[in-house]
Amino acid sequence: MKIEIKTIIAFALSLTLYSFNDLNVDTHSLTIRVKNLRNDKGEVQIALYNKNGSIPDENYKNYYKILKGKIVNASSTITFNNIPSGKYAVNILHDENKNGKIDKGFILPIEGFGFSNFQSISFKNKPTFSKASFTVNEDKSMSVKVIYM
């Protein structure tokens, strides 16, 4: 019986120490600004990625975190908090009908979208995590262009 109590106490102590180790992780805020949206309809959806091969992510299944923001005067600003240091990429959707997905016409998207580090997108200039990624090692603020096809 005494061994079981000692084991339980040791386990509880190790869990407590493990949770304190988490507090030592450097975290930062990442603010994303989007301007020049074509209208104030819907919302802006910003997906944050932290792994190679995670984008393109047309169905929004590979993201690390995702936030949605209001559009005011054709602009939106969203801040991700408590982001550990590392490499990230951003995908933006001007979700005009608030359905959480990229709506398409025949082939091309009919809603605006964009990726960090991209000013234009074409069949020869497709987004990948390595092309869209940037480093976060302090609080960071950036603008991402939304592209309408």
Side-chain angles (χ1 to χ4, degrees):
M1 188 77 163
K2 290 182 182 179
I3 294 173
E4 290 177 20
I5 292 173
K6 286 181 182 179
T7 304
I8 291 170
I9 291 171
F11 180 70
L13 182 59
S14 66
L15 282 178
T16 303
L17 291 174
Y18 178 76
S19 66
F20 281 120
N21 283 342
D22 254 1
L23 297 176
N24 293 329
V25 174
D26 284 341
T27 62
H28 314 284
S29 66
L30 173 62
T31 301
I32 307 296
R33 289 184 312 276
V34 182
K35 300 178 185 175
N36 301 318
L37 298 167
R38 72 173 159 203
N39 58 49
D40 287 355
K41 291 181 186 176
E43 61 195 4
V44 170
Q45 176 174 286
I46 300 181
L48 183 64
Y49 297 87
N50 65 350
K51 293 180 189 166
N52 264 334
S54 56
I55 58 174
D57 183 23
E58 197 170 311
N59 297 314
Y60 293 98
K61 295 187 186 241
N62 300 322
Y63 60 83
Y64 169 64
K65 290 189 177 194
I66 194 165
L67 294 174
K68 297 179 180 190
K70 292 181 182 182
I71 300 169
V72 178
N73 297 324
S75 299
S76 187
T77 301
I78 294 175
T79 300
F80 292 93
N81 291 306
N82 301 315
I83 303 297
S85 295
K87 284 193 127 188
Y88 295 92
V90 169
N91 168 238
I92 295 181
L93 170 64
H94 179 189
D95 192 7
E96 294 179 83
N97 61 2
K98 295 185 180 183
N99 67 354
K101 64 180 187 175
I102 300 171
D103 294 316
K104 293 182 178 180
F106 178 63
I107 295 175
L108 299 175
I110 58 174
E111 294 177 310
F113 64 97
F115 292 88
S116 44
N117 300 332
F118 278 79
Q119 295 299 309
S120 66
I121 296 175
S122 67
F123 291 113
K124 292 182 180 183
N125 187 27
K126 294 180 183 179
T128 63
F129 182 82
S130 62
K131 289 182 189 177
S133 65
F134 53 89
T135 301
V136 174
N137 54 16
E138 62 186 357
D139 291 349
K140 188 174 186 93
S141 181
M142 61 189 298
S143 293
V144 178
K145 181 178 180 180
V146 173
I147 300 160
Y148 297 92
M149 302 303 267

